Amino acid sequence: MLYLTGDLHGDVSRLAHTRKLKKGDTLLVLGDFGVLWYGDKRDDKLLNWLKRRKYTVLFLDGVHENYALLDAVEQAEFGGAPAGKLADNIFHLHRGEIYEIEGKTVFAFGGGDAENEWEFRTDTHSEREMPSGDEMSRGYENLAAADNKVDIMATHSPSGKTNGYFSRSGDNARLRGVHVYLNRLEDIVTFDHWYFGSLHVDRPCGSRHTAVFEEILKVE
């Protein structure tokens, strides 16, 4: 069974306290995973705990990641597409790829616009959180090869079309970079449901979009 949750920021307590996740299940974290953060034994402690889980952990990158560490992860294949392999049961899903997960096709696109979030960043971070033109093009190409149809859209950032469901500041309501791209995907892709993180709320946005944060949400 496939489950989704939102931004962990290196805190796995919600996973430790849930009884939902069983042997053979898959959990997808919608960005800001934050488990690779310090590059030392503090990361090893969290990774070793996750390695002992009986389920598979997948994650998108967000705007609060140590990209130097993420980019150095061993590369492998998962679900029919390239991914970063942290352990036999822990994989980083790359931007613009389509994965076969628990019998569903999942388009993955992490990253976002951190323009208003500089106070959270550290010297270990770069501007890698902003998706590149190549990554966006890869997404277009992979979707076109799938006839622009997937079961699930899984992103860290919401598309600009969901802004009306939230009371956000003017800056957050402006459409920039990745939001324009995701809006374009809404226009051309047929999908069953779109899940995203980043906003730190658990809330449906109409019938086909859901913001996910602390909830561990079962995908039917």
Side-chain angles (χ1 to χ4, degrees), residues 18-69:
T18 186
R19 295 183 178 181
K20 288 185 177 182
L21 298 168
K22 309 295 184 185
K23 183 177 180 179
D25 286 338
T26 300
L27 175 69
L28 172 54
V29 182
L30 297 169
D32 284 357
F33 187 57
V35 169
L36 284 183
W37 189 263
Y38 300 103
D40 59 24
K41 293 181 179 179
R42 289 170 289 184
D43 293 348
D44 293 340
K45 182 178 180 180
L46 291 175
L47 285 171
N48 287 335
W49 186 86
L50 289 172
K51 288 176 185 178
R52 294 194 296 270
R53 301 310 97 191
K54 300 298 184 182
Y55 50 85
T56 298
V57 178
L58 311 176
F59 68 96
L60 310 179
D61 50 83
V63 298
H64 303 137
E65 309 283 4
N66 188 324
Y67 278 96
L69 295 177

Side-chain angles (χ1 to χ4, degrees), residues 88-109:
D88 288 343
N89 67 324
I90 309 172
F91 293 88
H92 171 211
L93 304 188
H94 293 330
R95 300 170 185 171
E97 299 291 350
I98 298 175
Y99 297 89
E100 292 283 343
I101 304 172
E102 300 283 354
K104 299 182 183 297
T105 51
V106 179
F107 176 78
F109 205 85

Side-chain angles (χ1 to χ4, degrees), residues 189-202:
V189 178
T190 300
F191 58 91
D192 292 335
H193 209 93
W194 188 316
Y195 299 94
F196 57 91
S198 81
L199 297 184
H200 290 193
V201 293
D202 290 288

Side-chain angles (χ1 to χ4, degrees), residues 43 84 100 138 153-154 162 176 189:
D43 293 348
E100 292 283 343
R138 184 182 308 124
M153 298 288 286
T162 61
R176 293 185 298 259
V189 178

